[in-house]
Amino acid sequence: MKKTTLSLLFISITVLLFAQDNLSILTWNIKDLGRTKGAEEIEAMARIMRDYDLIAIQEVVAKDPAGAQKVAAISELLNRMGDKWDYRISDPTQSPSPHIRERYAYLWKTSKLNTIEKPYLDEVLASICDREPYIAQFKTKDDHIFYTVNFHSRPYNKHPEWEVATFANYTERLASSNVIILGDFNMNEEHEVWEDLYAQGFQPAIRNTATTLKRQCTTEGVYVNHAIDNIYFNAHVFQKIESGRIDFVGGCDQLEKARAISDHLPVYVELEFKE
């Protein structure tokens, strides 16, 4: 793996260049992805995403077409950056209130992946989850098939663990161990609710790593907060090569501009199939 530095508008970040045969995945809660995002923010997002094979997005606005339009704009810009991309956007979630209803999105490089059938919202969990997961099945160019479960939980004070407790059934329901669960879970990887998945062989991509942005820096210059975004993969199937968060902030003097993109940092993982 090689690291290079990229000057990104007002942001300086580290870009990871992954091994050609491995699978690189990024998950990102892009706060209110819709009308609030202008051309500058869309370009910043695309430049962060461009070096990954598969992107899972949460918090796409569902109340008007602007959310879907911004995902299309990201895809269009990615296509102009050198690789061919495709994308899918979910229907609005069947949430108990329109104020918490959202869409999800996937974007992927067609040189690395194809979808198998159309991604779908998990209607089985619609009565349990405030925003039911968005499930996709992908096939790599060397014929590995895997599922992704894209999820944005309810807030931490409304028991997101009640939603996540149902995820231990996914390998049985999908009839596959090749499952990756990713998104914003509003709790960290140390919560006891993950134990059932850990017993099946799942592991978190990152540990003890804050992924949300404070509104203001502390006097010590700290601008990150809660460790709630992650990627959970089955370690019986996948070997983790590299993982981390992308800190696109650049410093306290850039925090306000960074928050215009999102109040979450993206999380990534590079995986290799064991067989």
Side-chain angles (χ1 to χ4, degrees), residues 20 44 48 71 74 83 124 141-142 155-156 167 175 196 208 217 256 267:
Q20 184 68 27
I48 291 171
V71 175
I74 294 170
D83 289 290
V124 173
K141 295 304 180 181
D142 53 358
Y156 73 94
F167 293 1
D196 287 343
N208 302 314
C217 284
E256 183 178 356
V267 172

Side-chain angles (χ1 to χ4, degrees), residues 25 27 147-149 164 167 177-191 193-195 197-198 201-207 227-235 238 267 269 271:
I25 301 173
T27 183
Y147 289 88
T148 53
V149 179
V164 170
F167 293 1
S177 297
N178 301 10
V179 177
I180 298 169
I181 301 170
L182 69 178
D184 171 5
F185 303 96
N186 278 306
M187 59 186 170
N188 67 26
E189 73 285 349
E190 295 182 357
H191 195 287
V193 74
W194 296 109
E195 291 302 323
L197 277 165
Y198 293 160
F202 281 81
Q203 293 181 4
I206 57 176
R207 293 182 181 272
I228 59 177
D229 303 271
N230 219 321
I231 301 172
Y232 295 85
F233 61 93
N234 192 327
F238 302 99
V267 172
V269 68
L271 300 172

Side-chain angles (χ1 to χ4, degrees), residues 99-153:
H99 301 293
I100 61 174
R101 192 172 297 143
E102 297 173 5
R103 297 179 188 265
Y104 298 96
Y106 290 111
L107 302 98
W108 65 92
K109 288 179 179 173
T110 59
S111 62
K112 295 294 292 285
L113 299 169
N114 293 315
T115 51
I116 301 176
E117 300 183 348
K118 181 181 178 181
Y120 60 93
L121 289 170
D122 189 352
E123 293 186 356
V124 173
L125 298 187
S127 62
I128 299 172
C129 299
D130 283 2
R131 292 173 286 257
E132 67 272 30
Y134 188 40
I135 300 175
Q137 187 180 20
F138 291 97
K139 185 177 182 179
T140 68
K141 295 304 180 181
D142 53 358
D143 295 329
H144 286 106
I145 294 173
F146 65 97
Y147 289 88
T148 53
V149 179
N150 189 357
F151 184 61
H152 183 198
S153 80

